[in-house]
Amino acid sequence: MTGSSTPVLELRDVSKSFGPVVALRAGSLRVEAGSIHALVGENGAGKSTLVKVVAGVHRRDGGDFLLGGDSVDFGSTSDSKDAGVAVIYQEPTLFPDLSVMENIFMGRQIVGRGRRIDRAAMYAEAEGLFGRLGVDLDPRRPARGLSIADQQIIEIAKAISLDARLLIMDEPTAALSGVEVERLFAVARSLRDEGRALVFISHRFDEVFDLCDTITVMRDGSYVATHRTEDTSSPAIVAEMVGREVADLFPKTPAEIGEPVLEVEGLQSRGVFHDVSFTVRRGEIVGLAGLVGAGRSEIARAVFGVDGYDAGRVRLNGREIRRRSPRAAIDAGMAFVPEDRRAQGLVTEASVARNVASVIRGGLARAGLLTTGAENRAAGPWAGRLEVKTNALDMSARTMSGGNQQKVVIAKWLATEPDLLIIDEPTRGIDVGTKSEVHRLLSELAGQGMAILMISSELPEVLGMADRVLVVCEGRITADLPRADATPEAVMHAATRQLEVAG
Amino acid sequence: MTSPRTYSDFSQPLWRRVLLTREMAVIVLTVAVVLYSLANVPNFDGPLTVKFLLQDIAPILLIALPMTLIIITGEIDLSVASIVGLSSVMLGVLHDNGLSVPVAALLALLLGAACGALNGFLIAYVGLPSLAVTIGTLALFRGIAVGLLGTKAVTEFTERWTDLATDTLGSSNIPVVMVPFVVLAIGFSLLLHFSTFGRGVYDIGLNDEAAHFTGVNVARTKWILFVLSGVVSAFAGVYYTLRFGSARGDNATGMELQVIAAVLLGGVSIFGGRGRLHGVIAGVVLIGVIASALRLEGVTVNVTNIIIGLLLIASVISTPLLSWVATRLPRKAPPSEEPTTPKQATPAGV
Amino acid sequence: GSEDSGSDSGGESDGGGDVSLTMLPKNLGNPYFDTSTTGAEAAAEEVGATIEQVGPETGDDPAGQVPFINTVAQQGEDGLIVSANDPEAICDAIGEARDAGVKVVTFDSDTNPECRDLFINQATSEGIAAKQLELISEQIGGAGEIAILSAAANATNQNAWIEMMEAELESNPDYADIELVDTVYGDDQDQKSFDQTEALLQNHPDLKGIISPTTVGIAAAARYLSESEAKGKVMLTGLGTPNQMRPFVEDGTVEAFALWNPADLGSLAVYATAALVNGDITGEEGDTFEAGELGEFEVGPDGVVLLGEPFTFNADNIADFDF
Amino acid sequence: MTPHAGIRHPDGTEASTSEVLLVEPSTLSPARRMATTVLRSRELSIFLVLVAVTVVATLKNESFLFSADGWRNFWVNPSLLLLLAVGQAVVVITRNVDLSVGSVMALTAYLTGRLFIDQPGLPIVAVFAICILAGAVLGLVNGMLVAYFNVPSLVITLGTLYIYRGIVLSWAGSDRINAGDLPSDFLALGNKAILTIPVLTIIAMAVLAAVGYYLYTARGGREFYAIGSDPDAAVLYGLNVRRRVLAAFVLSGALAGLVGVLYTARYGTVSSGVGSGIELQAVAAVVVGGVAIFGGSGTVWGAAIGAFLLVTINRALPSLGIEDFWQRAVVGVLILGAIVLDRLLANRQARKLAEAREMTT
Ligand SMILES: Nc1ncnc2c1ncn2[C@@H]1O[C@H](COP(=O)(O)OP(=O)(O)OP(=O)(O)O)[C@@H](O)[C@H]1O
Ligand SMILES: Nc1ncnc2c1ncn2[C@@H]1O[C@H](COP(=O)(O)OP(=O)(O)OP(=O)(O)O)[C@@H](O)[C@H]1O
Ligand SMILES: [Mg+2]
Ligand SMILES: [Mg+2]
């Protein structure tokens, strides 16, 4: 980065607190035109907060905020838009009732004669955007019912259509598959070549090093260091992020495999998945791989009884499980850590104790009476075992960072001492430190004889953790690979098999 | 893993958790109004006050119990007053056709349960919005009630029962109806605050999807609540009928808004997930006391309405107003040694 | 607050010797009751009583009057003058008021006789029924379909009159050709009464006349007729106040209607109550008492005091009245 | 820089469509698409119910439609509720509700009378203007409280329902406006007709058309839907949520104010009890008209048809020989039927999405 030219974006010692919570104490960032700048840091490091300050969602408490050299102070996101800043937020924010097209253009619709909005023009442009991203979404379809992946793609289309001089992407790839990530990167590079500035936040180092030319590290809400990509390496970055050396990311310790725990036969749900059959054995970690939108979550949800299914049967320890009843699944010994922890995993407004005890509280009642004391006594040890960071059990989980929340979710399910743990995207949006803890925990549990079904969009994670990899493609299981044969090539081949047949 | 860390149970001392609550505010306000009235309102200290007051608010007190739980799940039941009217008519018609009051009352309760079950089915199992559904059944139940009796009113009830509805306990001024109320109040408190069912009720109000993932039977919980609401409303209808010795289709018209106003005043969030029963009970009493005191002062109804309206609005804007003031006040951000752990994050709402 | 009127019956305690009365109409905002209250206030001046009007906003809730009756009991007023929304629903409350030493007199609309001390009856039901049939009959020429637009479906007095009319139509040969085809209820609300009138005309194309024995109803019906094609074809009569009906009598929508003077009714109620409070009468049949310029009245059977016969208003005399 | 710039890029536009796709981009021609959306629309379905009711009632008794009065009432009677429903619809679309309309209407109805009595000279237009303004101000109070404290509108407007009503009662007391107090040409307005269509109806339709057009074609209009669909997202989009919510309540208040005047013109007498309970009718009309009670979807056209249907059903029942005591019951059934229908249509769409995915598999 040539210090001479004025940077597009410059932040110096920006701070932001939410009441007593200091989210950002001294955030600094300097982004040059024509560069892609990575922002990395553990969960809760303050990345998203920093982004939201730039976007005008939050007003900074202190520090300097310069855009194109002159100091600015955004009161709302419309200010930042007008200043040419486009942001992809960490959580997709769409209007479910409106069409995909309206979601992209809301607030800045193309208007024709008499300020009437010009739908035709916008449909055309939306289709153009999707063409450019290489996805095939109907702009007229309502946003309701889209998978996280599809929602993320709309966010991206929205952002690039803004044609901004500064594009900030907060973990855009968290829900995306390899193909889509590649397309996104292609677009990102082309934008950079146009001379725009991009900020890219991700917990996946392969992506960071693949895409970005500069990396800024944050820790505990403060700026740590900035490096040119070629001058550094991921272990170095990781060390700076955590401030300590991190153990091997995928410490899978082989456990001896026992008798089948979960047996799924001919599971089918119209429009989502078809004759899905597989088993998971005691002590075994089965990875469910596939492109996003392949239907893995749907399969998991059906097995656990959150969704219904049209045909097939699910058996746990030989006993058939009533369909469409999570309660039945839980009582039979299943646990399910869902994909979206804020919406599905936690009651974020409720206390840590309530959340951790929420599944087992039925057993905590004495003489039919359930007391907060009983809940705390039951929840404390599990929260402790997962090293949840909170200073009291009656804190709400709302303001915790992603990783910490994930720990609460896992604690809540381990408290049920299940025979089978289904875990969907165990480390989506979780920092390396917590990530390795989670992986260590999983293999430890497997070692103790728990059967684990793990869904992940991160191939390295699947290959690293799983004893067996099932590949899902368009709602069908297209491969069942033992750990030995599970090479990236094999998995990707199976994950795209039918597509090739089709194409 | 390494030595598991331990936590304190609470982030705040007991007195803060007990005293600095919305409920406590309502209770204090209620007590204050009572004391003021005793001192300044002529005849408020009279022997009849307690009796009349409790008799007047009894139906609202009763219906407010299930309504509280329903609103905590994020739903609402606008049809309660119509169920009061319908059960009243039922009681009258059946009694007219020779059934004894207790039998007729029992059937009226069953009818109430059926009404609640219908609401519950459409809302919990078909998944329709409760506001819309219960506006519909509000019209439907009331329509049936008025349709059944038309211009007639049944006024011949066995003395014994009408007396019971207006009697007081022994020599005290406490109406007999307070006995079933207290029993129900205790029952509902245990259900809401000391049972797994109650925890489910709060979870549903805060995040029903997560509750579903956690094994809470969202549909059944809601259904049960609406059935309870139907039964209790019907019971209120029976009491209402016997107290006034008159079964009519238009009994208790418009009471649903009074009940909801009281529940919200008592600190229950219309968004669900927040609120406690003692606050609600205080809310009902507060409205009753104010109305009674103002009548004694010869103040007309409309002023009472204005005051209730203002209280209602104050009860919801007070919180944001205070926090707004708080942000205006100079605040020193204490550098917390463990930043990723907010030194003192917001305590859980429930 | 009790403004002290000089004439003092040197009694003791409550309200400084004044007789304290409360006037409880079916609902506030009803011109008919406003007039009766005006009369009552005038009479209160005469007998040296303080009087206060309270009441519910709407007359549709049968129990709506109960809290006000309770309040009177709490305040230990001397007398309560009430027009009952429901013959039964308020009896218990009245009972408690009487236990608390309150004299209770109903006017305009009665409760069950055993509930109250006296009922001040504007006119005998027979009288009222006969009067209205007589009016409608001569307006429609003694033959054709008629309908009734009443107030609330439960109003005691309304239903009594309607029964009487039905009976009279049956029995009286003069009315052999008159057919009562429908009875609808406007709940003493303008809009409802208005829409009910519309429904009547629409559903009974051959309708000749409408009887509306309630001031709100007849005014709303007149207002509808005055703009409708039925004006002049469909006759309207009933009980109304001159001020409300004046424009419609003048524009010919209405030929004639009846009413007693509500002011006299209110004033008589006050005299009667005062007499009860002062112990001049007990409410026994045959008791007599003075009612200012209204003259002397006697308590009839069931503790009923009769004001007199209804008066007929028409184009010739309506200008002379202002209430 | 125009937002178009983005796509003029020599880049992956040729990308194979062999992606994991959900639903094929619609291949229908715009005309066909328009036709199908209209045919599938909620509005059409209840419009058909309205037609059916009218036809049956007219067959039973043709004066229902084919008499001067019948025709006039067919158009006039729904007009007031229709106006309230339009305002209510906009509020509901933003995921709010306005329960205070009945009280606002009462205030301006009485105000109308007072103006004519106290300021005899005042031209009728001025009275309209003043009352609409008054309504708008009352709506503004609701909007302020809801938007700036962001507290639930149900509670706020329940509060102002009591307060505004209390104000009317204290102001009017037991005084009432009689037809005699009002200028005759104002009263005439209640029944005047142009080409047999009553003026009241024309006013209502004009308002409806204006609001409907705005909601469909203006940025602002679309933002109402966005806000109702997801308020938090609306903030992140940089939409001015407060201003829109404020606008919705002001509109609702202003229309309620207008209804107050029209009520006085139509009914001639005003007492303090005017319009009590009408708020639930307005909400009912909106729901019957297919506006989602939790915002984000629905149209004022639907709400208007809903209002028309509710009123017309009430008028029709007697002709169909149903005692009017049962009217409320029928209305209840109607409301329930409408929302169940909504659910069925929604399920059908969901099934379509599933099938669409099936195709691609
Ligand atoms: N609205 C809020 N109110 C209170 N605290 C908040 C809020 N938003 C974030 N925080 C706190 O600020 C800190 C930083 O949060 P932030 O989301 O910026 O971290 P992050 O780097 O984006 O983490 P992740 O990688 O998981 O997204 C966390 O401790 C979080 O709990
Ligand atoms: N609520 C919904 N309504 C309609 N379609 C849905 C819904 N949720 C998911 N889908 C579709 O079902 C398929 C599976 O979605 P999903 O994203 O859960 O698959 P996945 O393999 O779990 O991907 P992920 O990596 O996000 O878990 C996708 O085509 C998605 O678009
Ligand atoms: Mg983040
Ligand atoms: Mg998934």
Side-chain angles (χ1 to χ4, degrees), chain C residues 157-218:
Chain C
N157 50 356
Q158 293 282 327
N159 290 338
W161 300 334
I162 294 171
E163 274 174 32
M164 289 293 172
M165 288 193 248
E166 284 165 347
E168 183 80 2
L169 283 170
E170 285 303 315
S171 54
N172 190 332
D174 307 354
Y175 305 143
D177 306 336
I178 300 180
E179 184 194 4
L180 177 61
V181 290
D182 204 348
T183 303
V184 295
Y185 301 86
D187 292 347
D188 270 351
Q189 293 166 22
D190 304 306
Q191 182 174 359
K192 184 135 194 261
S193 310
F194 190 95
D195 296 341
Q196 290 290 11
T197 312
E198 178 206 323
L200 275 180
L201 295 179
Q202 185 203 314
N203 301 321
H204 306 286
D206 308 331
L207 198 64
K208 280 270 172 301
I210 298 176
I211 299 175
S212 180
T214 165
T215 59
V216 177
I218 191 173

Side-chain angles (χ1 to χ4, degrees), chain C residues 258-270:
Chain C
L259 196 66
W260 46 91
N261 186 335
D264 294 349
L265 188 63
S267 123
L268 177 56
V270 169

Side-chain angles (χ1 to χ4, degrees), chain D:
Chain D
M1 22 181 174
T2 80
H4 297 259
I7 54 168
R8 283 202 232 88
H9 228 279
D11 168 300
T13 337
E14 278 313 295
S16 79
T17 57
S18 71
E19 263 310 305
V20 188
L21 53 82
L22 311 184
V23 180
E24 299 262 10
S26 161
T27 51
L28 297 173
S29 75
R32 285 265 323 286
R33 194 181 299 116
M34 176 60 81
T36 46
T37 41
V38 169
L39 286 178
R40 296 242 180 70
S41 71
R42 255 306 252 101
E43 288 75 6
L44 184 71
S45 52
I46 69 159
F47 179 73
L48 293 179
V49 178
L50 174 59
V51 172
V53 170
T54 315
V55 168
V56 174
T58 314
L59 290 180
K60 278 263 184 181
N61 157 12
E62 94 281 337
S63 76
F64 183 84
L65 209 52
F66 300 121
S67 69
D69 281 3
W71 178 256
R72 182 192 67 202
N73 299 328
F74 175 79
W75 288 106
V76 173
N77 289 15
S79 301
L80 300 184
L81 186 59
L82 188 151
L83 282 169
L84 291 177
V86 168
Q88 192 66 251
V90 176
V91 173
V92 171
I93 284 172
T94 62
R95 194 181 285 189
N96 284 295
V97 65
D98 185 353
L99 295 180
S100 69
V101 285
S103 307
V104 173
M105 165 184 166
L107 251 170
T108 56
Y110 187 71
L111 176 62
T112 308
R114 281 257 69 87
L115 284 173
F116 281 123
I117 293 169
D118 304 342
Q119 327 286 354
L122 214 58
I124 293 179
V125 216
V127 173
F128 269 85
I130 295 173
C131 288
I132 293 174
L133 194 68
V137 171
L138 296 174
L140 187 68
V141 174
N142 289 332
M144 289 275 196
L145 289 168
V146 173
Y148 285 90
F149 295 100
N150 52 42
V151 286
S153 53
L154 186 81
V155 188
I156 293 297
T157 55
L158 181 57
T160 49
L161 172 146
Y162 281 118
I163 296 174
Y164 295 164
R165 176 69 59 183
I167 294 174
V168 191
L169 290 165
S170 337
W171 183 22
S174 56
D175 172 37
R176 69 161 50 208
I177 309 295
N178 292 325
D181 310 332
L182 302 168
S184 51
D185 48 358
F186 175 71
L187 289 173
L189 208 64
N191 298 281
K192 195 184 292 140
I194 298 172
L195 302 172
T196 78
I197 304 295
V199 175
L200 259 60
T201 313
I202 294 174
I203 297 176
M205 292 301 172
V207 171
L208 169 64
V211 176
Y213 183 83
Y214 178 80
L215 283 185
Y216 185 73
T217 62
R219 282 186 179 179
R222 303 317 298 168
E223 291 182 8
F224 283 121
Y225 284 90
I227 290 165
S229 192
D230 184 342
D232 304 340
V235 173
L236 286 183
Y237 268 71
L239 305 187
N240 192 334
V241 176
R242 279 183 180 170
R243 198 167 100 231
R244 297 286 167 220
V245 172
L246 217 55
F249 278 98
V250 169
L251 177 71
S252 170
L255 289 182
L258 174 61
V259 171
V261 190
L262 298 181
Y263 176 94
T264 316
R266 167 90 169 126
Y267 293 102
T269 36
V270 178
S271 66
S272 50
V274 166
S276 45
I278 203 169
E279 58 275 346
L280 289 188
Q281 281 187 54
V283 176
V286 165
V287 169
V288 170
V291 178
I293 199 77
F294 288 129
S297 71
T299 64
V300 287
W301 314 114
I305 303 174
F308 227 99
L309 182 56
L310 288 188
V311 174
T312 308
I313 287 246
N314 269 338
R315 285 187 61 239
L317 286 182
S319 341
L320 305 182
I322 301 176
E323 214 181 8
D324 67 347
F325 295 114
W326 289 99
Q327 286 180 356
R328 262 185 288 185
V330 175
V331 170
V333 172
L334 194 69
I335 296 171
L336 295 178
I339 49 183
V340 171
L341 174 71
D342 279 341
R343 175 47 47 95
L344 294 181
L345 292 177
N347 291 351
R348 211 178 68 186
Q349 196 199 6
R351 218 172 34 256
K352 273 221 198 48
L353 288 176
E355 275 153 12
R357 266 203 303 287
E358 198 83 336
M359 294 309 127
T360 72
T361 310

Side-chain angles (χ1 to χ4, degrees), chain A residues 212-449:
Chain A
C212 308
D213 40 45
T214 321
I215 302 176
T216 290
V217 183
M218 288 183 69
R219 189 194 326 142
D220 297 351
S222 304
Y223 170 85
V224 174
T226 302
H227 307 279
R228 297 191 61 78
T229 312
E230 52 267 36
D231 310 344
T232 182
S233 67
S234 63
I237 297 290
V238 171
E240 282 181 335
M241 276 171 53
V242 255
R244 63 178 193 278
E245 286 304 325
V246 191
D248 170 20
L249 274 184
F250 307 110
K252 174 70 174 95
T253 51
E256 95 283 358
I257 314 273
E259 75 286 6
V261 176
L262 173 70
E263 291 159 288
V264 177
E265 284 171 27
L267 216 57
Q268 141 128 9
S269 171
R270 296 180 67 259
V272 188
F273 53 80
H274 310 274
D275 59 59
V276 172
S277 306
F278 62 90
T279 64
V280 184
R281 302 169 170 281
R282 199 165 292 289
E284 181 182 41
I285 298 183
V286 172
L288 211 49
L291 300 178
V292 165
R296 299 160 300 166
S297 292
E298 268 62 14
I299 294 172
R301 291 163 57 112
V303 169
F304 188 68
V306 171
D307 297 343
Y309 45 88
D310 309 328
R313 45 215 285 258
V314 175
R315 278 193 268 114
L316 197 75
N317 299 326
R319 276 181 289 96
E320 177 148 6
I321 310 290
R322 187 152 42 90
R323 74 176 62 177
R324 230 186 180 316
S325 165
R327 197 18 82 180
I330 292 166
D331 297 343
M334 268 197 227
F336 182 31
V337 176
E339 188 170 20
D340 179 344
R341 66 183 79 90
R342 281 177 168 272
Q344 306 166 336
L346 287 171
V347 178
T348 51
E349 298 292 308
S351 71
V352 171
R354 286 261 167 110
N355 273 296
V356 173
S358 59
V359 193
I360 53 168
R361 61 192 166 203
L364 301 177
R366 252 186 265 90
L369 290 193
L370 175 63
T371 61
T372 310
E375 285 176 310
N376 289 338
R377 278 191 299 282
W382 289 104
R385 178 165 173 205
L386 273 288
E387 293 180 324
V388 174
K389 291 185 193 147
T390 177
N391 58 346
L393 289 173
D394 68 345
M395 287 292 169
S396 96
R398 191 180 75 244
T399 57
M400 291 181 169
S401 71
N404 217 3
Q405 286 180 335
Q406 186 72 334
K407 288 178 174 179
V408 176
V409 183
I410 296 176
K412 137 182 164 179
W413 285 111
L414 292 190
T416 67
E417 291 168 344
D419 299 330
L420 170 73
L421 174 65
I422 305 176
I423 186 160
D424 193 352
E425 306 292 356
T427 60
R428 172 180 288 171
I430 287 185
D431 64 67
V432 277
T434 320
K435 202 171 192 169
S436 60
E437 286 178 41
V438 170
H439 290 147
R440 197 185 302 106
L441 177 68
L442 288 180
S443 52
E444 177 185 318
L445 291 169
Q448 294 161 2

